[in-house]
Amino acid sequence: MRSSGKFILLFGTSCAGKSTPASKLQECAKEHFLSLSLDNVFATVSSRWAAGPDSPLATKGFFYRSYNDDDGRRNELIHCGEIGRNILHGMRRAAAAFARSGNNVIFDDMFIEQDAIDDWSAALTGIDALSVQVTAPIEVLQEREAARVRRRRVGLALGHKALNEAFAGDLVINTQDGGLEAAAKMILDCLAETGPRAIERKIARPQ
C-alpha cells in the first residue's frame, strides 16, 4: 500500500502572494511537490456558471457581490451556490487524492466559505498536512491589486481578507517584505517535524 505524501495548504486573500511562495517551495524542497490551486479549478468552470448575481446559472455556481464598507472602500466577494459548493467539496478531495497516491502537494487556496477549513480538515484526514496563512497589510494588498494587468475585479483582496485571517494556520507568512526563501525553509522545516499533523480549525487571536 502506498504511503501518503505530504500536503501544504497555503491560504490567504487575493493578492496575498501565495503563488510565489508555492513556486519557491517547489524550488527549495528536496522532494517533488505538485503545485495546485483554486485558480486552476476556477479556470475549468464555464463562464455561464460564474458571473454576476443577476445570472440565474451563476447563482448556482460562483457569483460576485460588491459593497462599500464604512470607510467607503470597495469590497468584492465571491459567493457560491449548490454547484459551486459541490465543486469546492470535490476540489479538496481531489487534491487529497493526489497526496494519498504518494504525491507531495502544495495547494494555493482562498477561502470563500465559512466552513472551508473544516472541509479541508475532513478531506485531509490521515494525511501529514501543514496549514500556512499567507498575508500582507491591506495597503500592500490593494497596491498589488491595482497593479494587476487586465484585472476584472477590484476589491477581492479586502472582501476576503477577514474570512481568510479568521483562522490561524500552523504558520503565518507575511509577504510584505519578501524573504521568500527563508519563508520556504521555515515551512519545510515545520513540515519535517516528527509526528502526524492534522489541519484543524483554529480561531485566530486578535492582533
Side-chain angles (χ1 to χ4, degrees), residues 15 139-154 157:
C15 297
E139 296 80 9
V140 174
L141 297 175
Q142 290 174 318
E143 286 177 9
R144 292 173 182 171
E145 191 172 58
R148 282 193 175 181
V149 179
R150 287 177 282 179
R151 182 161 189 86
R152 293 180 300 165
R153 297 282 173 176
V154 174

Side-chain angles (χ1 to χ4, degrees), residues 21 114 170:
Q114 292 289 338
D170 298 303

Side-chain angles (χ1 to χ4, degrees), residues 24-93:
K24 183 59 69 173
L25 281 166
Q26 285 186 301
E27 180 184 322
C28 294
K30 295 179 180 178
E31 302 168 287
H32 177 261
F33 274 84
L34 289 171
S35 182
L36 308 173
S37 74
L38 176 66
D39 284 344
N40 295 154
V41 175
F42 277 169
T44 70
V45 178
S46 166
S47 60
R48 298 167 62 209
W49 272 266
D54 296 330
S55 169
L57 292 179
T59 57
K60 298 178 181 179
F62 299 97
F63 60 97
Y64 297 92
R65 283 203 173 118
S66 60
Y67 69 93
N68 290 334
D69 62 21
D70 293 340
D71 295 322
R73 301 178 300 183
R74 180 185 176 88
N75 286 246
E76 190 82 25
L77 294 170
I78 301 174
H79 295 272
C80 59
E82 180 182 0
I83 290 173
R85 284 191 293 273
N86 288 344
I87 290 169
L88 296 176
H89 183 83
M91 173 191 80
R92 295 169 188 133
R93 281 144 190 83

Side-chain angles (χ1 to χ4, degrees), residues 10 15-28 35-37 39 106-108 134 144 148 173 175 177-184 187:
L10 303 176
C15 297
K18 302 181 293 297
S19 59
T20 306
S23 297
K24 183 59 69 173
L25 281 166
Q26 285 186 301
E27 180 184 322
C28 294
S35 182
L36 308 173
S37 74
D39 284 344
I106 303 163
F107 200 98
D108 163 356
V134 183
R144 292 173 182 171
R148 282 193 175 181
I173 301 297
T175 61
D177 300 319
L180 293 176
E181 189 163 342
I187 293 169

Side-chain angles (χ1 to χ4, degrees), residues 186-197:
M186 185 188 308
I187 293 169
L188 293 170
D189 286 348
C190 189
L191 188 65
E193 289 177 0
T194 57
R197 182 185 299 275

Side-chain angles (χ1 to χ4, degrees), residues 2-25:
R2 286 192 186 93
S3 58
S4 294
K6 299 167 185 175
F7 201 101
I8 300 172
L9 175 63
L10 303 176
F11 67 93
T13 193
S14 177
C15 297
K18 302 181 293 297
S19 59
T20 306
S23 297
K24 183 59 69 173
L25 281 166

